[in-house]
Amino acid sequence: MALKFTPVSLTAALLWLCLASSAQAQNPHGQIFEAWRVQCNSPTGAPAVCQMFQNIVVKDSGEPVLRFFVGYQGDSETPIGVLVVPLGVNLPSGITLKIDDGQAYQLAIEVCLPNGCRARFGFDQNFLDLFKRGSSGTVSFVGGNRQPFNVPISLKGFTAALKAIR
């Protein structure tokens, strides 16, 4: 069976995230830190808003499977993560996030919009340390047809990208 996903709009995902960062001494817009890309937007007269992200797509078709964003909201000292998965996922199953071979964290899907379904989570220091020390992770969700999807993510460059957006 071929994978069928509804494309998730990057613009909508960025709007969903609505992350704000402190004023940037430098603008890392467009920099790539191994698996993570940094994007900044500078509204007129406002400090730059930067976030790091990964887009995971189906190799053959290029259709998006997962969008993973991390950034800071306002003056918060801890980042927020947002996972966006395609429409058609099984909502009660939610999304599971696992770093390396560690504990699996269950995330509730908070909203589905025409461009995809998202789960948002905060990082406490222990969770952030897992991401900084880890090398990979897996984001799992169940399709509407009850077929499980396990999407690998890379944590290479996570710490450097996180420093760039702060």
Side-chain angles (χ1 to χ4, degrees):
M1 172 189 294
L3 295 176
K4 294 289 183 186
F5 293 105
T6 303
V8 178
S9 165
L10 178 58
T11 303
L14 292 173
L15 290 174
W16 289 337
L17 191 54
C18 296
L19 296 173
S21 170
S22 308
Q24 301 286 315
Q26 61 181 5
N27 185 345
H29 178 71
Q31 285 186 347
I32 297 173
F33 299 88
E34 295 188 57
W36 296 87
R37 179 177 297 272
V38 170
Q39 180 161 354
C40 300
N41 296 315
S42 299
T44 306
V49 176
C50 297
Q51 58 203 352
M52 55 194 271
F53 65 94
Q54 267 187 62
N55 294 322
I56 312 295
V57 298
V58 176
K59 198 174 226 176
D60 296 335
S61 68
E63 291 184 70
V65 177
L66 175 72
R67 311 260 185 190
F68 189 176
F69 299 90
V70 177
Y72 291 89
Q73 186 171 15
D75 293 331
S76 175
E77 293 296 318
T78 57
I80 293 173
V82 175
L83 296 167
V84 181
V85 297
L87 291 175
V89 299
N90 182 277
L91 297 177
S93 298
I95 298 172
T96 302
L97 175 60
K98 186 174 180 180
I99 304 303
D100 292 326
D101 292 324
Q103 175 183 344
Y105 296 89
Q106 188 67 32
L107 306 170
I109 295 173
E110 66 180 13
V111 67
C112 290
L113 299 171
N115 296 326
C117 298
R118 77 165 184 223
R120 182 173 33 189
F121 61 94
F123 287 88
D124 63 18
Q125 192 58 53
N126 291 332
F127 200 45
L128 190 58
D129 288 343
L130 284 175
F131 273 75
K132 289 179 176 180
R133 286 190 316 262
S135 61
S136 64
T138 304
V139 175
S140 303
F141 54 92
V142 177
N145 60 358
R146 303 275 190 224
Q147 180 182 1
F149 292 93
N150 297 306
V151 182
I153 58 170
S154 175
L155 298 178
K156 292 180 181 175
F158 180 88
T159 301
L162 192 64
K163 286 180 185 176
I165 65 171
R166 196 63 183 142

